[in-house]
């Protein structure tokens, strides 16, 4: 279609140009002459009305003595001369003497244009059409011939614009230490070869989305100053079987020619999934591509100077043959950044942004547990956008903290119209969460309470730990369940059981999940004992659903349900006791929320009469 449109445009322009040339030829005649017969011409000559006759080929152009009269044109026979016409029609010599007669030859170019172009034009157009059509077919043939070639994005060592180094990667110290050996090998292979060492052929970067796997791979290439060939796993897969395998061969061929070099395959799980699982249907093209990758990684010398790096956030679905020693035999795990790493990440993403004097990077790092490097970059970008929207010259702490909540929950919906009753119910619901979370010693500190809708939430209570937690205790889980039930208990206590709303639905889901995990995954049930129940496997091809392989009886399933219900009801009872004994604080907090709509940690502590006291465990 692309070639057809191009050819059609060129032919159209050619026709337009030819029409213009012919139009210019015709436009030389300022007045369109009147065509008359020979008899009338003879009559006008005899009457003395003719001033001049111009003979041009088979045409007689007549100019009359009357200046207002239009020129005339007479077509004569090609073999008959003007003298013969005058003689045959009996024009006297006396009448002819009063006429100026001029013989004018046609110019060569005009004769060629008028007589030859009409004959050649169809032939020329056909030749032009076939010429461009053949070019289009040749282009498609060339494209078809290059269908199996890879087109990796190549970053050359001298390209400073896209060059990354380890200084551009915050945190991930252990991962960088693992990769420094790869950099040393690419810089100086001889010392490894002299020691009889073989550098790993493949390095697999594993980690959650946004943790910087691709950035680390680029940093390795930048540190070693070697060519970097970057392709995504999905770029190998095509509808035609064999194309992906051909692209793998071409990619490795290019890398060997540019050695020492790095081949980086992003999202390798697109082609590296486990073969023969019998789930999700077969895909010969994907399997052939995987087979070719396995062969290529086995087929080159370990000290050839080509290192294959790949990234995935689903190492559990990769084929075992891809992970065996000799292929991806070094695995680098990139964890979510801890508080120190987040602080370093924020320092990098804050470069080039005018920060106000009140901005404290450490506090922002504390407020962002669970954020990946990509989340932190998005956070600082959202803060900069908000500062521009507010017409500020710098980014203050308020814009950054507001952006933290936007990234976590979504944008504020202040324009949402809600009734006074719904607003009142939301205030009691969120205050219930905050009171329980503030009082219980093993729950995370309550940082903020708001009844302003954000995203899908009608209001929210923001709780965040002061430091990163890698383990959870039984007491912490129980306090989390009680806090989750705080909103439900507050609504039931204030408005009555018959008026409990749908607002606590997400809280009930959260409490149920915690209770299920405590019983089935963490062995925190005194009745069922220290064991797990069910082998859970996430099924990506079913939209991320989890399949459970049940290894327990129906009787045990009933006991699991009973334990889960007991944990949730225990949390509900604890929340009820806390709210009942601090009902005056609940009313005070609701009053402030209805006026200010948002309470920060200092406001919460003012209502509660002092700072929170939390267990450090």
């Amino acid at each position: 279609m692309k070639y057809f449109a191009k050819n059609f445009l060129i032919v159209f322009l050619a026709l337009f140009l030819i029409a213009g040339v012919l139009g210019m030829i015709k436009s030389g005649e300022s007045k369109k002459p009147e065509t008359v017969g020979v008899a009338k011409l003879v009559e006008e000559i005899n009457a003395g009305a003719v001033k001049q006759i111009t003979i041009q080929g088979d045409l007689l152009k007549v100019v009359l003595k009357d200046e207002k009269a239009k020129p005339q044109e007479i077509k004569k026979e090609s073999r008959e001369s003007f003298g013969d016409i005058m003689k045959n029609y009996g024009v006297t010599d006396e009448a002819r003497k009063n006429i100026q007669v001029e013989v004018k030859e046609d110019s060569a170019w005009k004769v060629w244009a008028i007589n030859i172009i009409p004959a050649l034009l169809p032939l020329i157009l056909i030749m032009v059409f076939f010429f461009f059509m053949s070019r289009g077919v040749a282009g498609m043939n060339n494209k078809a011939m290059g269908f199996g070639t890879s087109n990796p994005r190549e970053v050359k060592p001298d390209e400073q614009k896209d060059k990354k180094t380890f200084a551009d990667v915050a945190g991930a110290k252990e991962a960088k230490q693992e990769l420094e050996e790869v950099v040393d090998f690419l810089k100086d292979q001889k010392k490894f070869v002299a020691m009889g060492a073989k550098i790993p052929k493949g390095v697999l970067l594993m980690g959650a989305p946004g943790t910087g796997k691709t950035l680390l791979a680029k940093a390795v290439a930048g540190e070693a100053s070697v060519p970097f060939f970057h392709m995504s796993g999905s770029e190998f897969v095509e509808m035609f079987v064999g194309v992906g395998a051909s692209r793998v061969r071409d990619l490795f061929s290019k890398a060997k020619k540019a050695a020492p070099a790095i081949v980086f395959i992003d999202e390798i799980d697109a082609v590296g999934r486990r073969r023969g699982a019998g789930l999700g249907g077969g895909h010969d093209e994907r399997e052939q591509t995987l087979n070719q990758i396995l062969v290529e990684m086995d087929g080159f010398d370990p000290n050839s100077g080509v290192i294959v790096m790949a990234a995935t956030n689903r190492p559990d679905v990769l084929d075992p043959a891809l992970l065996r020693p000799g292929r991806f035999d070094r695995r680098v795990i990139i964890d979510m950044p801890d508080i120190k790493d987040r602080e370093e990440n924020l320092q990098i993403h804050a470069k080039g942004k005018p920060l106000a004097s009140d901005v404290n990077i450490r506090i922002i790092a504390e407020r962002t547990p669970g954020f990946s490097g990509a989340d932190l970059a998005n956070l600082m970008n959202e803060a900069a956008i908000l500062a521009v929207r507010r017409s500020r010259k710098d980014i203050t702490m308020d814009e950054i903290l507001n952006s933290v909540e936007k990234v976590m929950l979504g944008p504020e919906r202040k324009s949402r119209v809600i009734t006074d009753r719904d607003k009142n119910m939301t205030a009691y619901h969120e205050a219930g969460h905050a009171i329980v979370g503030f009082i219980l010693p093993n729950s995370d500190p309550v940082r903020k309470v708001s009844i302003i809708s954000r995203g899908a939430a009608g209001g929210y209570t923001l709780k965040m730990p002061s430091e990163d937690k890698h383990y959870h205790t039984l007491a912490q889980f129980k306090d989390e369940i009680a806090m989750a039930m705080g909103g439900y208990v507050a609504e039931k206590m204030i408005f009555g059981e018959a008026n409990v709303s749908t607002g606590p639905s997400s809280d009930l889901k959260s409490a149920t999940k915690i209770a299920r995990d405590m019983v089935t995954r963490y062995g925190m049930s005194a009745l069922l004992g220290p064991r797990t129940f069910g082998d859970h496997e996430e099924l990506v091809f079913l939209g991320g659903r989890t399949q459970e392989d049940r290894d327990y009886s129906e009787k045990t399933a009933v006991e699991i349900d009973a334990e889960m219900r007991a944990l949730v009801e225990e949390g509900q009872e604890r929340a009820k006791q806390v709210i009942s004994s601090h009902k005056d604080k609940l009313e005070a907090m609701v009053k402030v929320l209805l006026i200010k709509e948002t309470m920060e940690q200092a406001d919460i502590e003012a209502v509660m009469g002092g700072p929170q006291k939390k267990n450090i465990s």
Side-chain angles (χ1 to χ4, degrees), residues 433 436-444 463 469 471-486 489 507 510-519 522-527 562-578 614-615 617:
H433 286 308
V436 176
F438 190 95
I439 296 299
L440 294 180
N442 297 295
S443 64
D444 293 329
K463 64 181 182 69
K469 293 192 297 186
Y471 301 101
H472 286 74
T473 64
L474 176 63
Q476 288 172 344
F477 277 133
K478 287 188 174 183
D479 283 4
E480 281 189 29
I481 293 176
M483 184 177 176
M485 298 299 294
V489 170
D507 300 327
S510 175
T512 303
K513 184 180 183 304
I514 294 171
R516 172 174 286 277
D517 289 342
M518 289 172 65
V519 174
Y522 305 131
M524 293 181 176
S525 168
L527 176 64
E563 280 290 275
M564 288 170 53
R565 180 173 182 176
L567 286 169
V568 174
E569 288 181 349
E570 179 188 344
Q572 179 182 355
E573 186 60 31
R574 294 182 68 205
K576 184 177 180 181
Q577 292 174 2
V578 170
K614 297 296 178 182
N615 287 341
S617 57

Side-chain angles (χ1 to χ4, degrees), residues 55 84 96 99 185 213-215 240 346 377 400 410 419 454 509 561:
I55 303 170
D84 292 338
R96 290 172 58 186
I99 304 172
F185 172 78
K213 299 182 291 295
T214 305
L215 182 61
F240 305 107
L346 289 166
I400 296 176
T419 63
R454 267 191 186 272
K509 183 178 179 181
D561 288 340

